Amino acid sequence: MSQDSRAKALFKPEFRFGMGGVPLGNEFNKILDRDAEEALAAAWDLGVRYFDVAPWYGFGLSERRFGHFLHNQRRDDFLISSKVGKLFKASRDNAREDYFPLSDSPNDIIFDYTADGVRRSIEDSLQRMGLDSLDVAFVHDISPDFAYFPNGWEEQFAIAEKGAFPALSRMRDEGIIKAWGIGVNCPEPILRVIDVADPDICLCARQYSLVDHKNAVEEVFPAVREKGVSLVIGSALNAGFVSGSPRYNYGPKNHEIPTDAIAKREALRAVAASHGVDLRTAALQFSAAPDVAVALVVGASSAEQISQDYNSMQAKIPAAFWDDLRAKGLIEQAAAIPDGGD
């Protein structure tokens, strides 16, 4: 079975809208356990059945919270993806505050993209979540934007090319996981991995939003289409920026918002207001529209937020709105628009 066939068979219609785990790892704000549980319960009640987490999110906190809820659900009813490449060890004198000061984690991090490391990572994730299997494993953050590698992302990628990538292909063939790929915020690693390995699906985060999508349309999408690799689209709101949050994407300097991004958001807001369209709704639907996308995953920190995101996916947007965005050069001419907007 080809890579895209595996991914498309895995991401059935009920799994095409997913909840991401960044906010519940206390990335942006300190979230209480009971609020995290309410957010997950609300997602489940709405019909959300795809969940994407990572050991990195809160140094294990996000996985523990998702697992606390999901281990009580029937395993065949949901799809779960997590990440590999980062291991943790408990340490009284840990450096957690340098990475996730709001997480209260007792852990220190070890970067490990070897074959043994990714097997250990999956085992650790399953133990943290209380689950017996992982559907998709994304090799995490081997990307130019990741600021914490001691020796640069390309050296880590080279380790993964010899270790993580073939190991994950073997684990897929053995049935330990159902699919694998990489999860990154920049295009270069995706373009590279599809040439040197056989991933099924990649998590393409922050690269296909209303604010920033030109490179994805022109380079990433044609390349993965040619190789038969599918995408999960993440961070459609650029870490909440599109919907008004005081940050742009991720990392220690995400409070330094580029002026051109602010200007584009204002232009998008003006067009949305003139058509009576909610900009967050438009942004989510836009990011879910490409033919290479098998799922959209959105982060949420509360029951209200995941409910709003879910309802945005059901809303109708007039075709004239998309026409206006194209006419004003605010979306690429070749960008896909949601069904019903033709």
Side-chain angles (χ1 to χ4, degrees):
M1 184 182 291
S2 67
Q3 291 103 307
D4 63 333
S5 296
R6 280 192 292 264
K8 288 173 181 173
L10 189 58
F11 282 85
K12 299 171 184 176
E14 61 266 33
F15 303 138
R16 289 178 186 161
F17 176 79
M19 181 176 176
V22 171
L24 296 190
N26 290 4
E27 165 86 13
F28 308 120
N29 297 293
K30 198 171 187 69
I31 309 300
L32 300 178
D33 287 342
R34 64 174 177 269
D35 294 329
E37 189 82 358
E38 286 178 4
L40 287 159
W44 189 269
D45 290 345
L46 288 164
V48 177
R49 293 295 183 272
Y50 171 39
F51 303 91
D52 176 71
V53 292
W56 173 251
Y57 304 155
F59 274 32
L61 177 62
S62 183
E63 284 189 326
R64 292 198 303 274
R65 284 173 162 172
F66 275 71
H68 186 264
F69 179 82
L70 290 174
H71 87 276
N72 289 316
Q73 312 305 324
R74 202 169 72 95
R75 182 62 186 86
D76 290 343
D77 288 346
F78 64 90
L79 195 71
I80 182 86
S81 56
S82 192
K83 320 293 195 308
V84 299
K86 300 181 179 80
L87 302 176
F88 296 98
K89 63 177 181 180
S91 171
R92 187 165 294 178
D93 299 317
N94 65 77
R96 175 263 308 162
E97 287 202 6
D98 295 338
Y99 304 93
F100 285 93
L102 300 177
S103 78
D104 298 328
S105 170
N107 294 324
D108 266 333
I109 189 168
I110 302 165
F111 299 113
D112 192 337
Y113 293 91
T114 66
D116 288 344
V118 298
R119 285 183 178 270
R120 166 74 183 275
S121 182
I122 290 173
E123 290 170 1
D124 287 355
S125 290
L126 293 175
Q127 288 188 16
R128 275 190 292 268
M129 291 188 288
L131 301 177
D132 61 8
S133 63
L134 188 67
D135 295 299
V136 182
F138 292 119
V139 183
H140 202 196
D141 279 336
I142 39 175
S143 178
D145 69 297
F146 190 70
Y148 302 108
F149 288 138
N151 51 3
W153 79 275
E154 290 185 311
E155 185 168 332
Q156 299 295 341
F157 191 100
I159 294 169
E161 186 176 346
K162 294 179 180 178
F165 300 165
L168 290 167
S169 290
R170 288 192 297 271
M171 294 172 76
R172 178 191 61 207
D173 296 342
E174 294 166 4
I176 297 171
I177 57 175
K178 295 175 182 174
W180 77 272
I182 64 172
V184 290
N185 300 324
C186 296
E188 298 95 322
I190 293 177
L191 298 174
R192 189 179 296 189
V193 74
I194 63 176
D195 275 339
V196 302
D198 66 338
D200 309 286
I201 183 167
C202 291
L203 174 57
C204 178
R206 88 174 196 192
Q207 300 176 56
Y208 192 72
S209 70
L210 274 178
V211 171
D212 181 11
H213 59 271
K214 180 179 175 64
N215 187 74
V217 170
E218 294 182 352
E219 293 191 39
V220 177
F221 290 179
V224 297
R225 199 175 286 125
E226 181 182 353
K227 293 285 188 176
V229 174
S230 298
L231 297 175
V232 170
I233 304 295
S235 198
L237 303 178
N238 297 105
F241 170 75
V242 174
S243 54
S245 296
R247 57 179 176 264
Y248 185 67
N249 296 328
Y250 305 103
K253 295 185 178 181
N254 69 347
H255 61 286
E256 299 175 2
I257 304 174
T259 55
D260 59 340
I262 294 172
K264 185 160 187 183
R265 182 176 65 182
E266 291 308 305
L268 290 165
R269 282 174 170 171
V271 176
S274 72
H275 290 275
V277 169
D278 173 62
L279 187 57
R280 173 170 58 182
T281 292
L284 294 178
Q285 291 194 19
F286 177 80
S287 292
D291 63 310
V292 293
V294 292
L296 174 75
V297 62
V298 299
S301 59
S302 67
E304 180 184 14
Q305 192 174 28
I306 191 61
S307 298
Q308 290 172 341
D309 291 339
Y310 179 86
N311 289 331
S312 283
M313 298 303 294
Q314 323 308 318
K316 299 296 184 183
I317 296 176
F321 168 75
W322 303 110
D323 293 341
D324 204 359
L325 290 184
R326 275 190 172 141
K328 288 180 167 62
L330 292 171
I331 60 173
E332 296 297 308
Q333 294 296 315
I337 56 175
D339 290 342
D342 293 331

